[in-house]
Amino acid sequence: MPHRPYAIDEMISAKAIAARVEALAKEITQAFAGTEKLVVVGLLRGSFVFIADLVREIDLPLEVDFLEASSYGDAMQSSREVRILKDLRGEISGRDVLVVEDIVDTGFTLHHVVNLLRSRAPKRLEVCALLDKPSRREVPIRATWTGFEIPDEFVVGYGIDFAQRDRNLPHIGKVRFTERAAG
Ligand code: IMP
């Protein structure tokens, strides 16, 4: 029995991710220079690896908070209905906020989260997304910073899952269904 019923083809190497994370962190550090304390908000669960690497490269006083929004569940399609499953612990009113997202796909999740957080009157709110699939967009929204633009492929690794699997891959790979798995 194979470890998983599909194959994974490497799309972005761990080395390329690390280099890009470092570059993004430099830009973020410059953009928020002088902040009293940045609130870095990770969207669970897909951003947990990215946020861990990113904050360690950001040279600013910061704190980390998390928000969980429902999106795909265990499916490969966005549900289009976004629900907040876990809200922030802290207040963001009057604060500098950076939202960290794994992938912007249809844009429904980010749109919902940004509207919600903006309604709490932060001083400034920007978004950093590791991946962007612009060809899939249904809601017109863009992250302030994007790690990589990718084609319309289902990807896993570096915190990103397929039905909760493969978050632990160090690189990002695209899922390829083998004939046997496709049935
Ligand atoms: P959106 O609301 O359609 O933009 O969906 C965004 C969320 O869907 C991301 O935060 C991911 O959790 C999930 N997602 C989108 N594309 C993929 C993918 O290729 N692999 C795994 N999860 C994905």
Side-chain angles (χ1 to χ4, degrees), residues 78-152:
S78 168
S79 63
R80 286 172 178 75
E81 241 184 55
V82 184
R83 282 179 306 131
I84 301 300
L85 302 178
K86 184 211 165 292
D87 206 340
L88 298 178
R89 289 288 293 272
E91 297 288 331
I92 57 162
S93 161
R95 311 280 309 269
D96 288 321
V97 176
L98 176 71
V99 176
V100 177
E101 166 73 308
D102 57 351
I103 309 181
V104 188
D105 186 48
T106 62
F108 279 100
T109 307
L110 191 58
H111 179 75
H112 185 90
V113 167
V114 164
N115 281 349
L116 174 74
L117 297 185
R118 280 204 200 289
S119 74
R120 298 178 185 176
K123 181 169 156 207
R124 180 173 175 191
L125 187 144
E126 308 288 350
V127 177
C128 180
L130 179 65
L131 304 175
D132 188 359
K133 297 188 206 171
S135 66
R136 297 255 312 156
R137 196 73 87 257
E138 294 180 33
V139 181
I141 189 160
R142 276 188 68 89
T144 322
W145 295 279
T146 297
F148 302 90
E149 283 196 1
I150 60 168
D152 181 9

Side-chain angles (χ1 to χ4, degrees), residues 8-22 49-50 53 130-131 147-150 155-160 168-174:
I8 297 172
D9 300 324
E10 183 170 305
M11 185 189 258
I12 308 171
S13 69
K15 208 172 151 191
I17 297 170
R20 190 70 189 114
V21 169
E22 199 184 320
V49 175
F50 179 38
D53 284 346
L130 179 65
L131 304 175
F148 302 90
E149 283 196 1
I150 60 168
V155 295
V156 291
Y158 197 68
I160 300 165
N168 54 327
L169 289 179
H171 57 269
I172 289 166
K174 61 179 175 186

